[in-house]
Each structure stands twice: as C-alpha cells, then as structure tokens.
Amino acid sequence: MKPAAFDYVRASSAEEALEVLAKEGADARILAGGQSFMAMLNMRLARPKLLVDIMRIGSLDRIEEIEGEIVVGAAVRQAKLLGWDKLKAKLPLVALALPWTGHVQTRSRGTICGSIAHADPSAEMPLSLVALSGSVHLRSLKKRRRVRAADYITGMMNTARADEEMIEAVSFPVVAEHGYGFREIARRHGDFAIVACAAIVSSKGIRLAVGGVADRPEVRDWPGLSGSALDDALNRFAYELDARQDVHATARYRRELVRRVGRAVIEEAVQCHS
Amino acid sequence: MPLLNSSQRHRVGFSLNGHSVEGDAEPRVLLTDFLRHEIGATGTHVGCEHGVCGACTVTVDGMLTRACLTLAVQIEGCDVRTVEGLATAPDRLSILQAAFRRNHALQCGFCTAGILMSLDAFLREVPTPAEDQIRDLLSGHLCRCTGYTPIVRAALEAAAELASRQPAVQSHHV
C-alpha cells in the first residue's frame, strides 16, 4: 500500500497554505499530523494532486484561552494537548476522552484539528467537540467563519468545509461546575470505538453524546432524569441512532452498549458533579 | 515555499541515529521505504502500512512516529532514531535489548524493532513505570507470536535496571 503520486509543498504560513488551496481547490489537501490522512493516502482512498504540509507553521501550534474558550490550533498535536497542564481544570471531558484517541505512538504525531477534519463517526475528538458545543474555525484566503461542531460534521467523514478552506483552529468552551463522564468499548484500547459515550451533567440536566453508532456524533439533552425514566430515554436514544451491523458488532449489541455505557457515564458524571 | 514535483526525486538530508545522511525521494515515498531502500537501514520493519501494527515505529525529533504514516520529504532536517541506534556498539545490546533476550520477549522478531523504539522513548519519560502503563504503551503494537507477557516482563526488568544505573545510563542513553 503506497500512496499515488502527488506534489508536496511545505507551507511556512497559514496564508501560503490558503493561497495554494485557493488556486488548486479540491486537488489540494492539507497534511497535518497524518495519522488518519496518510492511511487514507496509502490505501488510495484519497488521491490528491498536491499535499500542503502545515506542521511547520508555528502560529498554528498554539493552545490559547480566549473569551471563555480553549482555542486549539491546527498544528497542535494530541500529545501536546494531553500534556497541557491546565487541561484537566479547563476541559475535563477532553482530559477523559483524549487517552482513548489512538495510542501513545499516534497521539505523538496526530493533531486535534486533524481528527475533527477527518470526522470519523467513532472518533473521540469530534464527539467531545460536539458534546461541548464547540466550534470549528474555517479560513479561506477571502474570509474566516466559525461553524458549530454539530453543523460542521455533515455525515460519515463528510464536513461543511469548502475546498478552498482549511481548519485554522477548533474551540472548546470552558464550562465550570459540570460533571463529566467518558467511556468507550473497542476491540483493543486505541482502536476505533464500537460505541463511545460522553456525559455532561449540570444543574440544568443531563447531556449524552454517542459516537460509533450513527454516521456522526449524536447528542440528547434531558432534564434531570433518573431511574426507569432515564432507562426509557436511553432506550429511545439507542433506537433513534439507527445502529448498523458490521464486522465489529451487531446492531443489537450496539444498542445494548448505548443503554449500558450511556447509563454508566451518566452515573460517573453525576458523581463527579456532586 | 518550494513545490516538490511528484515525478522528480528530491534530496532529503537528516540525522539518522546521530549521523548526517541524505538520500533522494519522490514526494510519495514513505519514510519506511526511504530508510530501507534508499538509506539501507533495514532495522525498521514494514507491517500493515496504515499505522495500526506499530512495526515501523521510530522517533522523529524525539516524537514516537509511525514511519509508514510519514513521508520521506517531511523529515528534512529532522533527528531520526531507529532500532539500529539503540546498542552502543555492533556487538553490544542495550539494557532494554538484553532484557528482551533474557526474557524471551521476541520470537520471530518482526514487531520487535518498533516495540523497542516505543519502550526506549517511553522509559526515558517514565523511568519507573507501572505494569498497566507498559501495557497501555504496548496497545500501540501488534505481536502475533511471542505474546505480550514476556515483553511486559522484559520492559519492567529493563526499567528497574535503568533506574538503578541512572547516572551511567544518561550518558550513553541519549
């Protein structure tokens, strides 16, 4: 498995990268950490004419707190965010979910924004960004726009990004005094999740986000449910996700995981909230 | 921002285990193939070629890296370390390698080069690891014949030995 031929450009600024995208459109693709996209190239599921490497653009390699949000630049590797000393205090859900993303050996290279750009339905970072109502900062040569994470991911590995745009950063809102829970089931730790669940509990109620089942992360908000009312809500959610059967799991098994793992992460989040 | 043309070979200069080397590669050439075919460093093995098996794991500027998910042209000017750089001399084994040998932590040896690189980098950051940390690290590697138990045992033994010889180790364990 070797990639098909492409030209390669190492951009030294975001503007340079955007100029290439403006000129080449869909023929050009951004290469960041490469932990998803290089595999796509090797399998020839992607065959761009030109790769624009953004990993040596210093201005994109920043984690900043701006107006109540943590803004993570396009060149920030997953290991860097995981090692950020304020992660647990500012983004407890990301601190819980990120160790499930790939392995030590892929987090060292892979970026946060790259995982969101790839938009795999079972990946943890898109799930976390959607659960936290975060947003994606898109930029083209002509303009910048912010898109809500839930609107950015339009389907399985499909996004609202236009050909001439790149993700410049993603932002996770900092929300104090909430409880968080995260768990997933995979065949091997670090593999793609069969089902991944993130729960956020506040005084207003419960939010549950589920990945790995539908074609994108799905979220439900419930006012303070408990007992059998919560079981009923989880059961409805499990069926609404329209689970598919594949080589990893049956649809029925996925629904059961949504009910059980969903319940477990909600209980975890309640405990962490109180 | 020079464009490297797909149909031409481009000069790539980098440091391999502390020595300056250079070779030529088209943009699409993977670091695995570049190391093995162009540079002649065949210690790095090629397994799945999509980042799952871990056989090709090396370090680039200190970062654990799947060589199969890296382009040769990306390592221009970088510090690359491979399994060939672990031992201090051709007829010597590093402490980690010796622990693998003692514990029968390799059988066919296909996955070994990548696992050694992961452990070598990890033990420098976490000199006294718990067993579950070693197992978490090894989740990034597939071994299909030896089994993980002797690999975990070798890693813990090497960690203990390295920790007890810290000052001497630091000087050559660079």
Side-chain angles (χ1 to χ4, degrees), chain A residues 7-266:
Chain A
D7 296 338
Y8 170 91
V9 157
R10 185 183 299 132
S12 47
S13 67
E15 291 75 16
E16 270 187 10
L18 292 167
E19 271 170 37
V20 176
L21 291 182
K23 198 165 143 229
E24 306 291 337
D27 288 341
R29 292 292 298 270
I30 298 285
L31 176 63
Q35 300 306 291
S36 304
F37 194 54
M38 279 300 304
M40 301 273 287
L41 290 170
N42 286 2
M43 292 188 265
R44 303 201 180 191
L45 295 170
R47 300 181 69 148
K49 289 197 180 129
L50 171 62
L51 284 188
V52 187
D53 187 344
I54 58 165
M55 290 311 281
R56 297 200 194 185
I57 303 175
S59 62
L60 296 179
D61 187 18
R62 288 190 197 140
I63 304 168
E64 294 172 294
E65 183 167 6
I66 302 170
E67 292 170 6
E69 291 183 317
I70 303 303
V71 181
V72 180
V76 174
R77 299 188 196 271
Q78 291 154 9
K80 180 172 174 168
L81 187 62
L82 194 55
W84 185 46
D85 56 1
K86 293 179 189 155
L87 183 66
K88 218 170 165 182
K90 298 288 184 185
L91 301 173
L93 180 64
V94 177
L96 289 174
L98 199 45
W100 294 89
T101 300
H103 309 277
V104 172
Q105 298 88 346
T106 59
R107 290 194 294 271
S108 59
R109 301 291 292 187
T111 62
I112 298 290
C113 289
S115 175
I116 287 155
H118 187 58
D120 189 292
S122 59
E124 297 80 8
M125 284 306 101
L127 178 65
S128 302
L129 193 68
V130 169
L132 290 167
S133 303
S135 35
V136 178
H137 303 221
L138 290 166
R139 185 178 171 192
S140 69
L141 209 49
K142 291 189 190 136
K143 65 168 185 181
R144 286 186 159 103
R145 64 181 177 124
R146 276 179 69 138
V147 182
R148 289 182 343 128
D151 298 331
Y152 177 75
I153 302 169
T154 53
M156 186 179 286
M157 297 181 189
N158 271 314
T159 69
R161 187 186 69 85
D163 292 337
E164 72 277 11
E165 286 177 318
M166 66 178 273
I167 295 183
E168 195 173 31
V170 293
S171 52
F172 296 90
V174 178
V175 190
E177 292 169 11
H178 285 184
Y180 298 92
F182 185 91
R183 277 195 204 188
E184 75 174 47
I185 303 292
R187 290 301 296 264
R188 163 176 83 142
H189 182 84
D191 279 1
F192 282 114
I194 294 171
V195 168
C197 293
I200 305 174
V201 167
S202 67
S203 51
K204 283 190 231 153
I206 298 165
R207 163 171 283 204
L208 180 67
V210 174
V213 187
D215 66 349
R216 71 192 95 172
E218 289 279 351
V219 175
R220 293 292 183 276
D221 287 295
W222 299 307
L225 294 178
S226 62
S228 64
L230 180 57
D231 285 335
D232 290 346
L234 283 164
N235 187 45
R236 269 198 310 278
F237 191 12
Y239 273 97
E240 284 161 11
L241 288 166
D242 201 16
R244 290 151 292 113
Q245 171 158 343
D246 60 21
V247 291
H248 302 294
T250 62
R252 186 179 170 193
Y253 180 58
R254 283 199 162 87
R255 284 194 295 273
E256 185 64 6
L257 288 180
V258 172
R259 288 186 286 257
R260 290 189 185 217
V261 181
R263 176 107 208 179
V265 291
I266 289 168

Side-chain angles (χ1 to χ4, degrees), chain A residues 2-3 7-8 10 56 108, chain B residues 4 6 28 33 49 64 73:
Chain A
K2 318 287 180 193
D7 296 338
Y8 170 91
R10 185 183 299 132
R56 297 200 194 185
S108 59
Chain B
L4 305 185
S6 64
R28 76 188 192 102
D33 295 329
E49 292 195 313
L64 282 169
V73 291

